[in-house]
Amino acid sequence: MMDKTFDPKAVETRISAVWEDKEAFRAGRPDRKDAVPYAIVIPPPNVTGSLHMGHALNNTIQDILSRFERMRGRDVLWQPGMDHAGIATQMVVERQLMEQQIDRRALGRDAFVQRVWEWKEESGGRIKSQLQRLGASCDWSRERFTMDEGLSAAVLKVFVDLYDQGLIYKDKRLVNWDPKFQTAISDLEVQQIEVKGSLWHIRYAIEGEPGRFITVATTRPETMLGDVAVAVHPDDERYSNLVGRHAILPLVGRRIPIVADSYSDPEKGTGAVKITPAHDFNDFEVGRRHKLLSINILGPEAQISVAGNDDFLRDLPTSDSLTALMALDGLDRAEARKRIVAMLEESGDLVSIEPHTHAVPHGDRSGVVIEPYLTDQWYVDVKPLAEVALGAVRNGKTKFVPENWEKTYFQWLENIEPWCVSRQLWWGHQIPAWYDEEGNHFVAMTEEEAHAKAQEKHGRAVTLVRDEDVLDTWFSSALWPFSTLGWPEDTPEVKRYYPTNTLVTGFDIIFFWVARMMMMGLHFMDDVPFDTVYIHALVRDEKGAKMSKSKGNVIDPIDVIDQYGADALRMTLAAMAAQGRDIKLSVQRVEGYRNFATKIWNAARFAEMNGCQRVAGFDPAAVTETLNKWALSETAKAINEVAAGIEAYKFNEAALSVYRFVWNVFCDWTLELAKPVLQGPDSDAKAETQKTIAFIFDEISKLLHPFMPFITEELWAIKGEDGPERASILALAPWSNLDALIDPASDAEIGWVVDLVTEVRSARSETNVPAGAQIPLALVAPSADVQARAARWDDTLRRLARLSDITVVDSAPKSSIQLLVRGEIAALPLEGVIDLVAERARLTKEIQKVDADVAKIDAKLGNADFLKRAPDDVVEEQRERRAESLGRKVKMEEALRRLQDAG
């Protein structure tokens, strides 16, 4: 006998153990050696991480695909693993050391890295266990880590090969520099924050014209020490006679050219801009166009560096202010700004200061202001790789779902810049480059190979020192689809599972990860890494706001699983995963799908208590009862709908299809219509119905399994007669094809009963008929088939629609509302049941109220100032309220029309 209630906590633990014991998720199972492979690589979560709701959505979608294809007989590899997450992980361990008052540099590189490995072993498994709580059906026996031995070998080979091909090189360029961590960081790790600051207007004297100046405006006066030019727009007539002349840099006295460049905006500020190539990305490009010197006046901790700075001191005229400038050396940039502004005021070169709010780049982990910083770094020339990656999407080799994300992919790759891959960290893949005493570098797989190259160059043995930098985390992640399969070794897994099939990821890393995997896969494997990229939306709170700890609106998926079960959370996320639409998640929605799980459980108990047990050899095609034929036909349709939804990556449609089938078609109609037979005396019809319901319940378990794996696996195991063909566990059961059972004749009969009862119930509700009232139903000039059906199902129709009687009439009775059911007219005489006049008045008043509400919303949405100032979630809430109100209005207008037709 089944337990009275479904306990997710107890079931999830037990079912997980069954899957592990049966090796249900292992790729390359002996029974599938000839099956068509299907592979997904997990977007490797950071080893520092824990499961958040975005992970829950991402992995639920991957699991739906994996379980679905596994049930369809394919050899599924869902490749799990984690990313070493360079800067994030190093930051965590450094913070731990700081609490112990230990400095990383005092500890030394080897000891520090050992500490990180220890921490990884201790805490790195947290997210794995959380993914298992979610029900992720990864092949955990194949778990990989971006810094394990095999993946590290792949990283070394790719770096060396790209270097040998001339695609990796060292160059002095601007990077995003984090002064706290003292490393270059990627654009992804930079967060733009609106800051209330100032705009300083500074005058620069025109050489040879005493008393004439050109004024520039800047938000960063401290960088003016590195100015090498002033730029004006070529079409700006105000400055046309100054182009080619020189200005004198205030405080410094350096002679700098005035250049014409379209970067300068005549409509912005004074129309003249200071050019500091070493401290601004746009200025760097202007400097390259005009072959200007780059002067770096900041050190790695964002402190002023002028003393001993050859670039700064070069061509510097003797100046009385030089001593004052040297006094700035070593000052933090913020303090230096104050000093320089004071010096400009004193010299009379500060024209004005105005308040100015602007976006300032901050490190997303350090929280400090990021500096554009000129340093020597390693770069990948990705332009030729990008051309191939662009072609693979343009020719359809890889497709994006939704398709509009292709534009983002194209935009980034068409405008791609060299990729800075070096990081000034200790945790990560150390760059395989060694330097001799002269600064020459030798790139090689091993130190021995580097020494051999050095000896060949010098004709003697030389001392070499390895580059201390490590590679950008995204470099190793870019190899994930093939490095996890054992490449660069020619493994059976590489041959079988590459290219993979579907990548499920978020839009924010299309460039940082997806595009780089495409480039590396095509370059090293000569094929795309995946055929489809499914981009899922964001999970927001119920009001549409982005979840954040500062807002206090974060929903922890583990907390939700603890309270409602993994199945309820998964089904919620799947049902809301509409393509291109963010998910507004509320705990109430999860509670609703927990109730759905309870409904399934209770239906299973009802079936068990009514003798619905599996029978070996049951042939669904041999049933004779019309109700059973209809139920099996609806099951076949549901199987097709769910499969079509998953195949089209319309997970919400697939989830809602199975939800409607289970709740409405099976629970509300099949079981309800079968009750008189199941609870009646023994008969052939009863035995057939019991077997049919048991069979359908197994099909329901299969249909729901990709979405709700725990409860369905438990139901699959519940006692009953098992045929030899039945899989021992649901995770390995075959997906069904019941197209042969689709039966139009049974749909004409039972479908009519369902539609009639539904229409009567809807009409009763809309017109405010009291719930307990028994009302008559008149079939208006029905066909012989309909009249016969009504007779066969008279008791059922009266019970389910709360009808006092069913009659056949030639025309609709007075004061009745008419229903059109499959082309036939049915009428509900309501005179004496409700006050028709009062009900019409009520509905009219309600419609007017809705119109007023919609008008208020339209006024807001038509107000440009409201749209500009209101948060996105508030605007979206107003739009949803409008849509909801209009939906109610449609129903009320239909009810009013029916009452008006009734006279």
Side-chain angles (χ1 to χ4, degrees):
M1 176 66 72
M2 289 176 61
D3 292 339
K4 191 171 183 179
T5 58
F6 175 63
D7 180 3
K9 285 186 179 179
V11 168
E12 288 168 8
T13 303
R14 186 174 67 254
I15 293 299
S16 292
V18 169
W19 288 332
E20 184 175 357
D21 179 63
K22 299 285 187 180
E23 296 185 333
F25 311 139
R26 184 181 286 273
R29 290 172 55 92
D31 57 343
R32 304 210 175 191
K33 66 180 185 301
D34 297 324
V36 177
Y38 180 85
I40 289 182
V41 291
I42 198 171
N46 290 351
V47 71
T48 59
S50 59
L51 196 69
H52 58 65
M53 205 52 84
H55 285 131
L57 170 64
N58 182 287
N59 286 281
T60 293
I61 290 171
Q62 290 178 83
D63 196 48
I64 290 170
L65 290 167
S66 297
R67 290 180 183 272
F68 175 64
E69 295 296 351
R70 195 178 288 117
M71 294 177 76
R72 294 216 291 186
R74 298 181 71 172
D75 175 22
V76 173
L77 168 61
W78 182 9
Q79 174 64 56
M82 296 186 195
D83 195 295
H84 65 280
I87 193 169
T89 306
Q90 180 157 326
M91 180 183 71
V92 169
V93 178
E94 280 198 50
R95 190 180 297 132
Q96 292 172 350
L97 292 174
M98 287 171 60
E99 292 172 358
Q100 302 169 39
Q101 298 184 329
I102 299 174
D103 181 75
R104 159 171 74 95
R105 292 169 181 81
L107 191 63
R109 181 172 191 141
D110 291 344
F112 175 79
V113 171
Q114 181 58 38
R115 287 285 191 107
V116 182
W117 276 109
E118 290 171 2
W119 182 85
K120 182 262 179 186
E121 293 303 318
E122 176 186 338
S123 304
R126 182 189 309 117
I127 198 163
K128 173 185 174 181
S129 65
Q130 292 177 331
L131 287 171
Q132 290 174 323
R133 288 283 312 274
L134 186 68
S137 61
C138 300
D139 183 350
W140 296 106
S141 70
R142 294 187 50 83
E143 184 181 356
R144 304 303 297 269
F145 180 53
T146 48
M147 282 185 62
D148 68 25
E149 186 176 346
L151 271 69
S152 295
V155 169
L156 286 175
K157 178 169 175 56
V158 167
F159 188 95
V160 173
D161 284 1
L162 289 175
Y163 177 82
D164 290 343
Q165 295 161 13
L167 294 174
I168 279 186
Y169 59 94
K170 198 163 190 183
D171 193 14
K172 187 182 286 290
R173 295 173 60 95
L174 276 193
V175 296
N176 295 307
W177 185 264
D178 190 312
K180 179 175 180 179
F181 295 127
Q182 296 182 45
T183 179
I185 62 174
S186 73
D187 291 342
L188 186 66
E189 296 162 312
V190 177
Q191 185 179 16
Q192 298 292 339
I193 298 177
E194 288 287 324
V195 172
K196 291 182 178 179
S198 298
L199 194 63
W200 287 271
H201 293 257
I202 306 168
R203 65 181 194 176
Y204 289 41
I206 304 300
E207 183 186 45
E209 291 193 47
R212 189 177 181 188
F213 303 89
I214 186 169
T215 301
V216 303
T218 181
T219 59
R220 307 192 65 211
E222 68 277 11
T223 64
M224 67 174 290
L225 301 180
D227 285 0
V228 296
V230 172
V232 297
H233 196 277
D235 300 329
D236 193 334
E237 295 181 357
R238 293 173 296 176
Y239 303 118
S240 58
N241 65 342
L242 290 180
V243 174
R245 303 275 299 277
H246 286 79
I248 305 300
L249 182 61
L251 306 183
V252 179
R254 180 182 293 113
R255 181 174 173 268
I256 59 176
I258 300 172
V259 299
D261 196 281
S262 57
Y263 165 62
S264 178
D265 184 354
E267 304 298 324
K268 190 175 179 180
T270 65
V273 292
K274 59 192 282 299
I275 301 301
T276 320
H279 297 287
D280 182 275
F281 287 100
N282 291 311
D283 291 6
F284 182 76
E285 295 303 322
V286 174
R288 289 208 305 185
R289 286 195 289 272
H290 296 275
K291 296 180 172 56
L292 300 171
L293 179 70
S294 291
I295 301 176
N296 188 353
I297 50 88
L298 291 177
E301 295 183 76
Q303 79 281 15
I304 296 295
S305 176
V306 289
N309 185 334
D310 292 341
D311 287 336
F312 174 74
L313 296 172
R314 183 184 301 142
D315 299 327
L316 191 67
T318 302
S319 170
D320 294 337
S321 63
L322 187 56
T323 302
L325 292 176
M326 292 302 107
L328 297 172
D329 193 65
L331 286 182
D332 175 77
R333 54 189 165 173
E335 181 59 30
R337 175 180 294 182
K338 295 176 185 176
R339 296 275 189 96
I340 288 172
V341 169
M343 292 168 70
L344 288 169
E345 284 183 309
E346 188 177 341
S347 69
D349 291 313
L350 184 64
V351 177
S352 63
I353 307 173
E354 61 179 274
H356 182 66
T357 300
H358 60 125
V360 176
H362 286 68
D364 67 346
R365 292 186 175 90
S366 66
V368 302
V369 175
I370 295 302
E371 284 292 341
Y373 189 60
L374 189 64
T375 63
D376 287 309
Q377 302 284 347
W378 289 94
Y379 290 88
V380 180
D381 178 11
V382 285
K383 193 73 174 176
L385 306 181
E387 290 299 326
V388 181
L390 280 165
V393 174
R394 285 184 176 133
N395 66 24
K397 185 78 172 173
T398 294
K399 65 177 182 178
F400 278 77
V401 180
E403 188 177 354
N404 61 287
W405 287 112
E406 288 183 2
K407 296 177 183 177
T408 302
Y409 176 84
F410 292 151
Q411 182 180 8
W412 274 329
L413 287 185
E414 287 166 352
N415 298 282
I416 200 164
E417 293 290 331
W419 175 15
C420 175
V421 293
S422 46
R423 298 290 181 268
Q424 290 64 55
L425 302 170
W426 285 353
W427 174 244
H429 295 100
Q430 193 169 353
I431 288 174
W434 287 262
Y435 299 88
D436 62 19
E437 299 94 332
E438 299 170 5
N440 300 306
H441 61 256
F442 304 91
V443 172
M445 291 289 292
T446 64
E447 186 171 358
E448 290 73 23
E449 288 182 21
H451 274 288
K453 290 183 177 182
Q455 183 149 357
E456 183 180 347
K457 176 180 177 63
H458 293 285
R460 58 182 173 83
V462 295
T463 302
L464 296 180
V465 177
R466 188 168 184 177
D467 195 315
E468 290 196 350
D469 290 354
V470 299
L471 286 164
D472 177 12
T473 298
W474 296 106
F475 191 90
S476 51
S477 297
L479 318 180
W480 190 249
F482 54 94
S483 64
T484 51
L485 300 175
W487 188 92
E489 298 297 324
D490 188 21
T491 65
E493 288 82 3
V494 170
K495 293 175 182 176
R496 182 160 179 78
Y497 300 110
Y498 190 93
T500 66
N501 295 88
T502 308
L503 178 74
V504 179
T505 189
F507 65 87
D508 53 335
I509 54 175
I510 290 175
F511 174 67
F512 295 98
W513 191 45
V514 178
R516 286 167 177 167
M517 284 190 289
M518 287 287 287
M519 289 188 286
M520 292 301 187
L522 285 160
H523 190 71
F524 286 96
M525 304 297 292
D526 199 29
D527 202 349
V528 295
F530 22 73
D531 56 49
T532 304
V533 180
Y534 174 79
I535 303 294
H536 63 73
L538 293 175
V539 183
R540 299 179 177 273
D541 72 7
E542 59 185 314
K543 295 182 179 179
K546 192 171 182 179
M547 293 187 191
S548 70
K549 291 180 181 178
S550 61
K551 291 180 181 178
N553 64 345
V554 172
I555 303 175
D556 187 319
I558 298 302
D559 290 345
V560 174
I561 290 172
D562 286 340
Q563 187 171 3
Y564 299 109
D567 289 327
L569 175 60
R570 290 168 58 110
M571 190 65 178
T572 304
L573 293 171
M576 300 181 75
Q579 287 183 13
R581 188 186 309 158
D582 287 348
I583 291 175
K584 294 182 181 180
L585 183 67
S586 69
V587 174
Q588 287 74 23
R589 292 294 292 267
V590 183
E591 185 177 7
Y593 283 105
R594 189 275 313 275
N595 296 341
F596 177 52
T598 300
K599 179 86 168 178
I600 297 165
W601 191 258
N602 289 341
R605 291 186 73 245
F606 171 85
E608 182 186 66
M609 289 186 292
N610 283 276
C612 303
Q613 293 186 331
R614 305 181 189 102
V615 176
F618 171 70
D619 181 8
V623 301
T624 59
E625 294 295 315
T626 302
L627 174 60
N628 295 333
K629 287 183 177 181
W630 174 80
L632 289 165
S633 180
E634 291 298 307
T635 304
K637 293 176 187 176
I639 291 170
N640 291 340
E641 286 180 12
V642 174
I646 296 175
E647 288 171 346
Y649 301 97
K650 296 180 179 180
F651 300 101
N652 62 315
E653 293 184 9
L656 293 174
S657 289
V658 69
Y659 178 90
R660 285 192 297 268
F661 171 69
V662 174
W663 193 296
N664 301 118
V665 177
F666 184 73
C667 294
D668 286 355
W669 291 110
T670 303
L671 295 184
E672 192 64 41
L673 294 172
K675 270 183 183 178
V677 178
L678 293 175
Q679 296 172 356
D682 290 344
S683 64
D684 291 342
K686 179 176 181 177
E688 179 187 283
T689 302
Q690 290 170 326
K691 296 172 190 175
T692 301
I693 288 174
F695 176 85
I696 292 174
F697 226 111
D698 272 358
E699 293 305 317
I700 285 173
S701 296
K702 291 181 184 180
L703 275 176
L704 274 171
H705 185 70
F707 308 94
M708 305 176 75
F710 292 105
I711 189 172
T712 53
E713 190 72 74
E714 178 75 349
L715 288 170
W716 187 258
I718 286 172
K719 63 184 181 181
E721 294 295 327
D722 289 349
E725 73 284 352
R726 189 169 180 273
S728 62
I729 59 172
L730 178 57
L732 297 175
W735 190 263
S736 297
N737 182 332
L738 303 182
D739 286 353
L741 301 181
I742 295 175
D743 183 49
S746 64
D747 179 63
E749 174 110 353
I750 307 300
W752 177 83
V753 172
V754 169
D755 289 354
L756 178 61
V757 173
T758 301
E759 282 292 315
V760 171
R761 288 174 173 175
S762 178
R764 291 176 63 114
S765 173
E766 290 169 359
T767 55
N768 240 13
V769 173
Q774 297 280 318
I775 59 175
L777 173 73
L779 300 175
V780 181
S783 65
D785 285 344
V786 166
Q787 193 167 342
R789 280 182 210 141
R792 284 194 293 271
W793 294 93
D794 181 83
D795 289 344
T796 299
L797 290 170
R798 286 191 287 111
R799 173 170 58 90
L800 296 180
R802 295 191 296 278
L803 301 174
S804 57
D805 58 82
I806 302 174
T807 58
V808 174
V809 297
D810 292 330
S811 59
K814 180 184 176 184
S815 302
S816 66
I817 60 174
Q818 297 182 37
L819 314 174
L820 184 64
V821 182
R822 300 202 173 198
E824 303 264 1
I825 296 174
L828 294 175
L830 295 181
E831 189 171 24
V833 179
I834 60 172
D835 186 330
L836 296 175
V837 174
E839 187 58 26
R840 282 195 289 265
R842 182 188 72 82
L843 287 169
T844 301
K845 188 175 181 181
E846 287 293 323
I847 291 170
Q848 291 171 347
K849 183 180 177 183
V850 170
D851 284 338
D853 289 342
V854 171
K856 289 179 183 177
I857 295 171
D858 284 344
K860 282 186 178 180
L861 295 177
N863 185 328
D865 189 54
F866 169 78
L867 294 177
K868 181 180 178 181
R869 295 176 180 275
D872 290 344
D873 56 306
V874 172
V875 174
E876 184 61 24
E877 183 182 6
Q878 291 294 316
R879 289 181 175 138
E880 288 181 356
R881 281 183 54 196
R882 184 180 189 276
E884 182 183 335
S885 296
L886 291 175
R888 286 191 291 111
K889 180 182 176 182
V890 168
K891 290 182 178 180
M892 288 188 288
E893 285 178 334
E894 174 62 17
L896 183 60
R897 183 193 63 76
R898 284 173 169 168
L899 289 174
Q900 287 170 338
D901 290 345

